[in-house]
C-alpha cells in the first residue's frame, strides 16, 4: 500500500452555498458541485495546492451527513488519503486486522473509488481511502 497524499478534508455543512462563501472569501476557486446519490450528498470541491477541501451537504434527512450534523454539528467529518491501489490497500488493512466500513471500493465524487476505515480503528477519525 502506498499513500500518495492527503487527497481532501471532508467538512459536513448544513448549507453548501452559505458555507462556500468562506472559501470564496479566502480566494479559493470552487471546482464544481456534484451530487452523489448513493451517499445522499451534494459535494463541492475547493482545490488547495495538491489537496482539496470537500464540503458535503445532505440531500436527505436520513443521509449520513445529516445524521453526522445532528450528532456532532457542522465541522470536519473525514480525512481522505489517496492510495495508489485501493483494492490492494483494503486487502492489506484487512489482513492486518484493521476494522473497515467498506471491504470493497464504492464510487465517490469525481469518479473516485473510495472506501472508509472504521473510526474505532483510527482513534475516532473517519478515514477515507481514495483512488483516482
Ligand atoms: Zn471525501
Amino acid at each position: 500500500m502506498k499513500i500518495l497524499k492527503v487527497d481532501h478534508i471532508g467538512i459536513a455543512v448544513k448549507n453548501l452555498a452559505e458555507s462556500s462563501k468562506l472559501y470564496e472569501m479566502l480566494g479559493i476557486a470552487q471546482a464544481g458541485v456534484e451530487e452523489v446519490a448513493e451517499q445522499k450528498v451534494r459535494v463541492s470541491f475547493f482545490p488547495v495546492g495538491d489537496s482539496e477541501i470537500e464540503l458535503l451537504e445532505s440531500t436527505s434527512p436520513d443521509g449520513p451527513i445529516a445524521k453526522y450534523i445532528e450528532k456532532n454539528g457542522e465541522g470536519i467529518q473525514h480525512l481522505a488519503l489517496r492510495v495508489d491501489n485501493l483494492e490492494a490497500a483494503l486487502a492489506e488493512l484487512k489482513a492486518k486486522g484493521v476494522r473497515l466500513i467498506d471491504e470493497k471500493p464504492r464510487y465517490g465524487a469525481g469518479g473516485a473509488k473510495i472506501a472508509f476505515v472504521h473510526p474505532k480503528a483510527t482513534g475516532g477519525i473517519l478515514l477515507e481511502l481514495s483512488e483516482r
Side-chain angles (χ1 to χ4, degrees):
M1 167 173 40
K2 190 166 184 208
I3 304 293
L4 303 174
K5 64 173 188 169
V6 172
D7 191 76
H8 62 270
I9 294 165
I11 301 175
V13 303
K14 287 181 185 164
N15 183 312
L16 211 52
E18 245 342 277
S19 296
S20 293
K21 286 179 187 167
L22 168 70
Y23 301 96
E24 285 156 9
M25 270 193 291
L26 292 171
I28 308 169
Q30 191 197 60
V33 177
E34 184 184 338
E35 192 163 325
V36 184
E38 195 198 308
Q39 312 261 8
K40 298 178 178 171
V41 287
R42 195 172 301 118
V43 178
S44 177
F45 281 100
F46 291 85
V48 181
D50 204 24
S51 301
E52 292 179 309
I53 292 166
E54 178 189 48
L55 301 184
L56 304 116
E57 174 194 75
S58 191
T59 55
S60 160
D62 67 346
I65 292 300
K67 285 182 188 160
Y68 179 88
I69 290 175
E70 203 178 293
K71 202 172 159 195
N72 306 289
E74 294 179 291
I76 294 179
Q77 195 255 350
H78 67 272
L79 167 68
L81 299 177
R82 188 176 296 191
V83 297
D84 59 341
N85 182 327
L86 185 54
E87 274 94 350
L90 292 173
E92 188 178 331
L93 290 173
K94 200 178 169 190
K96 287 176 176 170
V98 176
R99 188 167 162 194
L100 304 171
I101 292 176
D102 302 305
E103 296 203 349
K104 285 185 181 144
R106 46 179 152 142
Y107 281 92
K113 285 198 284 184
I114 65 168
F116 287 98
V117 179
H118 202 284
K120 290 229 161 92
T122 60
I125 296 162
L126 178 59
L127 182 65
E128 174 185 330
L129 300 176
S130 102
E131 179 192 334
R132 54 173 120 178

